[in-house]
Amino acid sequence: MAHGPPAVELEDLRKTYGNLVVLDRLTMRVAAGGVHALLGPNGAGKTTTVRILATLTRPDSGTARVAGHDVLRHRRQVRRAISLAGQHAALDDGQTGVENLTMLARLAGLSPSAARQRAAALLERFDLVEAAGRRVRTYSGGMRRRLDLAASLVGTPSVVFLDEPTTGLDPRSRQGLWEVIGDLARAGVTVLLTTQYLEEADRLADRITVLHQGRLAAEGTATELKQRFGAQRLELVWRDAVAFEQAAQRLGDRVTHRDPARRELSVTTDGSAPDVRRLLDDLDPDQHGVVRFTVREATLDDVFLTLTGRPTGAPQEVANV
């Protein structure tokens, strides 16, 4: 990641809607270059944060700067430095791919010839050359998202906000978009990504911020967060339902996961051989109850549950804020 002034700075940012506090004195910084993921359950404030940074929503108090520009006092400079790709592709279905990009390039102030050149370069970059002459209404979901991302780069921004960019995409299209996002970061663009796919954040992000109830719950690399808030776990499969229930009663609140249908129980462990051996001896002293066990590494799901208390995407009072 690049050194120097941060690409994004928030300090004591607050936003309310009526009695609902969406952002509660949020302070965070995003270094220039690379991918920074913003995680949180529905209603945690992710989309509101992006909208404030993109100058689409005014905060009630606090400050926010993008590329060194205050989002309230220097809106024009901020908008020149950024691009935003939201959850739904903002494209004209009646135009072709090349017509969409050329039109946006002209709106950005490029001459007709420069606009055509910019459109051609973006179509090639996003592997859309063969579909360039087709109307967008005929594009697949993955192609539409790639074209939408291409459209967001017409003006060569230094900071790109991607709000749930792979929502609704099939695994193959999601993988393709991940590659594009990685290419952007390697080219020096700062990408701020909001997502509810924890695998996506784990795969792409150089650093991760977790929001909960409008506040910063934790920040760090995926590895750092797993070490601080996750835990390795010992997954045990029991011989029958009786052994399963007896073990569950003995463990009590030490159980981190239970699946009666599969007779699976999980408990935390440090992953070392002595600790695993001790747990097995304690839980199955006669060696007749456990038929199989596995030691699992901590995941971002574990981190998320520890910090927010519920799975990603769980409903909350107000969604998509």
Side-chain angles (χ1 to χ4, degrees), residues 244-261:
F244 171 86
E245 289 298 335
Q246 290 175 344
Q249 291 177 8
R250 287 198 304 272
L251 288 168
D253 59 10
R254 294 170 61 193
V255 174
T256 59
H257 171 75
R258 59 181 294 160
D259 186 342

Side-chain angles (χ1 to χ4, degrees), residues 34-38 193 200-208 220-222:
V35 180
H36 193 110
L38 201 58
L193 168 75
E200 188 164 89
D202 206 352
R203 166 77 176 271
L204 294 175
D206 299 290
R207 291 188 68 81
I208 297 170
T221 66

Side-chain angles (χ1 to χ4, degrees), residues 37-262:
L38 201 58
L39 301 182
N42 286 340
K46 304 186 302 295
T47 296
T48 297
T49 299
V50 170
R51 288 183 61 83
I52 289 173
L53 291 171
T55 75
L56 299 176
T57 297
R58 295 179 64 91
D60 297 334
S61 61
T63 60
R65 289 178 291 275
V66 179
H69 306 297
D70 186 280
V71 299
L72 294 180
R73 293 186 291 113
H74 306 129
R75 295 178 65 196
R76 181 172 299 180
Q77 292 93 323
V78 170
R79 292 182 175 185
R80 287 174 178 169
I82 70 169
S83 185
L84 169 64
Q87 297 178 25
H88 306 286
L91 302 167
D92 186 338
D93 284 355
Q95 290 189 322
T96 66
V98 67
E99 287 171 344
N100 267 277
L101 295 183
T102 303
M103 175 189 67
L104 290 171
R106 291 286 288 132
L107 290 173
L110 275 64
S111 67
S113 61
R116 289 192 295 270
Q117 292 174 5
R118 183 65 179 154
L122 288 168
L123 288 166
E124 183 174 0
R125 182 177 186 180
F126 287 88
D127 193 24
L128 290 168
V129 173
E130 292 186 3
R134 287 167 43 192
R135 297 190 187 280
V136 172
R137 67 167 61 97
T138 68
Y139 283 23
S140 66
M143 292 168 65
R144 289 174 64 90
R145 295 305 289 161
R146 293 207 308 277
L147 183 62
D148 193 41
L149 191 51
S152 72
L153 297 176
V154 163
T156 60
S158 61
V159 181
V160 174
F161 300 116
L162 302 181
D163 191 16
E164 309 280 0
T166 61
T167 297
L169 295 187
D170 61 73
R172 183 184 298 275
S173 297
R174 184 175 298 137
Q175 179 76 28
L177 201 58
W178 286 355
E179 294 175 2
V180 170
I181 293 171
D183 289 341
L184 286 177
R186 285 186 288 274
V189 176
T190 301
V191 179
L192 181 61
L193 168 75
T194 74
T195 181
Q196 293 195 46
Y197 295 112
L198 299 183
E199 179 191 2
E200 188 164 89
D202 206 352
R203 166 77 176 271
L204 294 175
D206 299 290
R207 291 188 68 81
I208 297 170
T209 294
V210 182
L211 296 185
H212 183 46
Q213 297 179 345
R215 300 178 180 177
L216 191 150
E219 189 173 30
T221 66
T223 299
E224 290 169 349
L225 292 175
K226 291 173 189 176
Q227 291 173 346
R228 288 164 55 196
F229 301 104
Q232 296 185 77
R233 60 189 184 276
L234 179 65
E235 296 182 350
L236 305 160
V237 179
W238 297 85
R239 184 174 302 280
D240 52 44
V242 173
F244 171 86
E245 289 298 335
Q246 290 175 344
Q249 291 177 8
R250 287 198 304 272
L251 288 168
D253 59 10
R254 294 170 61 193
V255 174
T256 59
H257 171 75
R258 59 181 294 160
D259 186 342
R262 297 184 178 183

Side-chain angles (χ1 to χ4, degrees), residues 276-296:
V276 171
R277 187 178 297 112
R278 178 186 61 78
L279 285 168
L280 289 172
D281 289 342
D282 289 346
L283 299 175
D284 189 23
D286 58 7
Q287 300 182 7
H288 293 310
V290 176
V291 295
R292 187 169 63 255
F293 72 89
T294 305
V295 177
R296 300 287 187 190

